[in-house]
Amino acid sequence: MKRTLTVAAALLMLAASVPALAQERIGVVNLREAVFSSDAGAEFGDVIQGQLKEEQKAISQLESEAKEMQTRLESDGAMMNESERSDLQSRFEKKVQEYQQRRARFQQAVNQRQQQFLQQSRPAVDSAMETLLEEHDLDIVIPAEAVIYAKPDMDLTDEMIELLNEQAGNGDTNNN
């Protein structure tokens, strides 16, 4: 008897929570896209490109040199003597290794700066998020990366970008 009452109580609680779940207002925002698509994000992108332009050129040069060596090995390798081919192969492998290392360091530097920018943008994002919650009477905002499907009207990323741009225009952010 006691078990039956417990099961009945659990079913009643479950039934009572189903309508509450149906009334939840949920929004979806791609935060990374919003931050980097905002005016401040675009400005950050321009700045970082300018700062890392020389390193990008150096990496592209290494890639070009490695491709040139590879092409030479493929086209002329059969005509080279063993020591020439071995020397070129060794230089090619070193060039590829240098390219991979510099590219990895470059990508790490970019990721680190992006992460810093995201942290710097946090107050503005939080403020914009509060505005979205109030304007749309939302209970939950879920990151777009965690959503398999959502109706287009639930995606508030564009509105988040607009709010971030408004805040930057009003000087309400702590960016840069």
Side-chain angles (χ1 to χ4, degrees):
M1 181 74 174
K2 186 175 181 179
R3 182 180 168 115
T4 306
L5 287 175
T6 305
V7 170
L11 287 173
L12 281 173
M13 289 176 56
L14 181 62
S17 67
V18 170
L21 286 176
Q23 295 172 4
E24 296 272 334
R25 296 271 309 143
I26 300 172
V28 177
V29 174
N30 185 329
L31 288 174
R32 190 171 192 83
E33 178 185 335
V35 170
F36 289 110
S37 295
S38 69
D39 292 343
E43 184 179 320
F44 166 78
D46 292 344
V47 168
I48 198 168
Q49 275 188 335
Q51 290 174 345
L52 300 174
K53 192 174 190 173
E54 291 303 315
E55 184 63 16
Q56 249 180 333
K57 282 183 184 178
I59 291 170
S60 293
Q61 181 65 31
L62 283 171
E63 182 181 25
S64 177
E65 291 171 6
K67 284 181 180 179
E68 189 177 299
M69 287 178 176
Q70 183 180 24
T71 301
R72 186 163 175 234
L73 273 170
E74 290 170 357
S75 63
D76 300 342
M79 294 182 282
M80 294 179 184
N81 66 40
E82 186 61 33
S83 69
E84 284 178 320
R85 188 172 46 250
S86 177
D87 179 53
L88 184 56
Q89 180 69 35
S90 176
R91 289 186 303 151
F92 168 70
E93 289 170 2
K94 286 179 183 175
K95 190 68 71 175
V96 168
Q97 185 178 21
E98 182 183 358
Y99 164 77
Q100 290 172 339
Q101 288 172 347
R102 283 186 82 169
R103 187 163 186 253
R105 282 194 308 263
F106 175 79
Q107 193 59 49
Q108 185 178 13
V110 168
N111 290 342
Q112 184 178 16
R113 289 183 185 183
Q114 286 178 338
Q115 197 61 34
Q116 288 170 344
F117 180 74
L118 287 170
Q119 288 292 15
Q120 218 175 12
S121 301
R122 187 65 192 208
V125 168
D126 289 346
S127 176
M129 189 65 67
E130 287 178 29
T131 302
L132 285 176
L133 286 167
E134 290 173 16
E135 285 180 359
H136 293 276
D137 191 29
L138 298 173
D139 298 310
I140 301 171
V141 176
I142 300 173
E145 299 83 17
V147 175
I148 295 171
Y149 174 79
K151 291 180 181 177
D153 61 330
M154 293 178 75
D155 186 352
L156 304 173
T157 304
D158 290 339
E159 286 184 53
M160 173 70 86
I161 294 168
E162 289 175 22
L163 288 168
L164 292 172
N165 289 342
E166 285 175 18
Q167 288 179 6
N170 293 333
D172 290 343
T173 63
N174 294 330
N175 294 347
N176 296 358

